[in-house]
Amino acid sequence: MTRLWTVLCAFMVCLAAPAIAQVDSAVSGHYSVAGKQVPLPAGQWRLLGWETVPAAGNAARPLERAVLARVEGGRMDAFVLVTANAAPADAGWGMTRDCTRDDIHFAAVHYVSAVDGACTFVNHVVSAAAPDSAPVWLNAEREARGRGWAMPTTWLMAGFRITDRRDVVDVRFHFNPEAFGFGPGRGRPWSESQWAQGGVSADPARARMIAALVHWAAEAAPLMESGFRNRLTGPQRLADPDPVRTGPAPSANRTASLGDEPSWGVGLLKTISWRVIGTMGDLGVAYLFTGDPVLSGGLAFTGAILNSMLYFGHEVAWGSATAGQADILEFATAGIGS
């Protein structure tokens, strides 16, 4: 009887476990990693590899990682590296330093606190093994070269990090510049690449390409948020970056700090809105006890001034105490990005 119960339990666990696509299977629309959906640009994508690894050496916080690629005419036009938590946490995960770098083409923090946050970043990545390269990517790269698929010396990468108290996802799309009409790279180091900031600023065509990637990342960010919360339904309309239809490149690197200073403006607006409600309550209570409208008004007015100052001070102090508390957690990536 005990053995039968064990078999039944194992069968139920298998039914409940999420299905993992077979390596080299075709994928389109979106792909799920550890319950987080990732929208994919148009075309047929192939799953090249999948692995489970501990987060920062912590076996109690396992991560799932997958590599998908799109191949056209024997050339890998794009690939995406996805990392997501396999088990929920209870105190958040952390952001990546890529969210605030000033030596890449674009970085923007959309929101951040001690336990949640979201950011977008655009960088170029050199195709070379690095100490922090994800094993699943190294294996996928060897498999791709073994099949004779052409790959560039430099990729253009648009990345997204989204995290909350329980979950995290890190999605990095890598696009082949040769698929957009650019010639093969020269295999230079990251800082000397034609796709580094200096090379892009001196080349209008490359500047338009980077601008297209920044605009594409901005349009894709809401879909990434929806996928993070497993809310993608139906076919997704996520096209490739389009340098022909994109406006001019950003004039400066747009960044935001993980430790943004508390907003005094927001605190002031909250103070005013609350005091309007609070003063009406104070006036009513004072009149109920005194029966004197003049005395009641004086008490309410005095309380409004004093309590507004105390409330505003509390908001600023609280914001200062909690600003910049987001942890940093780096995941293995693909190639060299610094």
Side-chain angles (χ1 to χ4, degrees), residues 212-236:
L213 190 56
V214 171
H215 287 293
W216 179 87
E219 293 178 353
L223 287 176
M224 298 298 162
E225 282 275 359
S226 296
F228 175 67
R229 308 185 193 289
N230 204 32
R231 295 174 181 171
L232 293 179
T233 58
Q236 306 304 318

Side-chain angles (χ1 to χ4, degrees), residues 85-331:
N85 64 298
D90 56 8
W93 290 84
M95 301 288 276
T96 170
R97 290 185 179 86
D98 288 329
C99 296
T100 55
R101 289 176 59 180
D102 59 7
D103 61 341
I104 60 178
H105 298 295
F106 178 82
V109 176
H110 306 305
Y111 59 88
V112 65
S113 74
V115 294
D116 64 359
C119 74
T120 303
F121 43 91
V122 172
N123 191 10
H124 69 286
V125 176
V126 175
S127 296
D132 60 347
S133 292
V136 67
W137 161 244
L138 296 177
N139 293 335
E141 186 180 38
R142 283 192 291 268
E143 176 69 16
R145 295 192 186 282
R147 297 188 183 192
W149 296 343
M151 290 184 288
T153 58
T154 302
W155 298 91
L156 303 182
M157 184 269 289
F160 308 84
R161 171 68 68 91
I162 307 173
T163 181
D164 61 19
R165 185 179 296 275
R166 292 172 52 86
D167 299 307
V168 64
V169 67
D170 188 283
V171 183
R172 300 181 183 230
F173 289 92
H174 300 71
F175 294 95
N176 188 341
E178 297 173 25
F180 298 91
F182 293 93
R186 301 177 185 177
R188 295 176 176 176
W190 182 84
S191 60
E192 301 175 13
S193 168
Q194 294 172 302
W195 289 102
Q197 286 183 333
V200 169
S201 62
D203 188 333
R206 295 181 192 276
R208 284 194 298 271
M209 184 65 228
I210 293 299
L213 190 56
V214 171
H215 287 293
W216 179 87
E219 293 178 353
L223 287 176
M224 298 298 162
E225 282 275 359
S226 296
F228 175 67
R229 308 185 193 289
N230 204 32
R231 295 174 181 171
L232 293 179
T233 58
Q236 306 304 318
R237 297 181 179 180
L238 186 59
D240 281 359
D242 188 350
V244 176
R245 301 179 60 184
T246 300
S251 58
N253 202 54
R254 291 181 285 172
T255 61
S257 171
L258 287 181
D260 281 344
E261 293 299 321
S263 173
W264 288 31
V266 172
L268 183 60
L269 288 175
K270 290 172 68 177
T271 300
I272 294 173
S273 64
W274 168 243
R275 281 325 309 165
V276 170
I277 300 173
T279 300
M280 293 174 61
D282 292 343
L283 182 60
V285 171
Y287 183 76
L288 180 64
F289 277 91
T290 65
D292 187 337
V294 176
L295 180 59
S296 300
L299 290 172
F301 178 77
T302 303
I305 298 299
L306 178 60
N307 290 329
S308 294
M309 295 173 61
L310 293 174
Y311 183 88
F312 181 70
H314 172 268
E315 282 290 307
V316 172
W318 183 270
S320 298
T322 57
Q325 297 297 314
D327 292 333
I328 297 296
L329 178 62
E330 301 296 352
F331 297 143

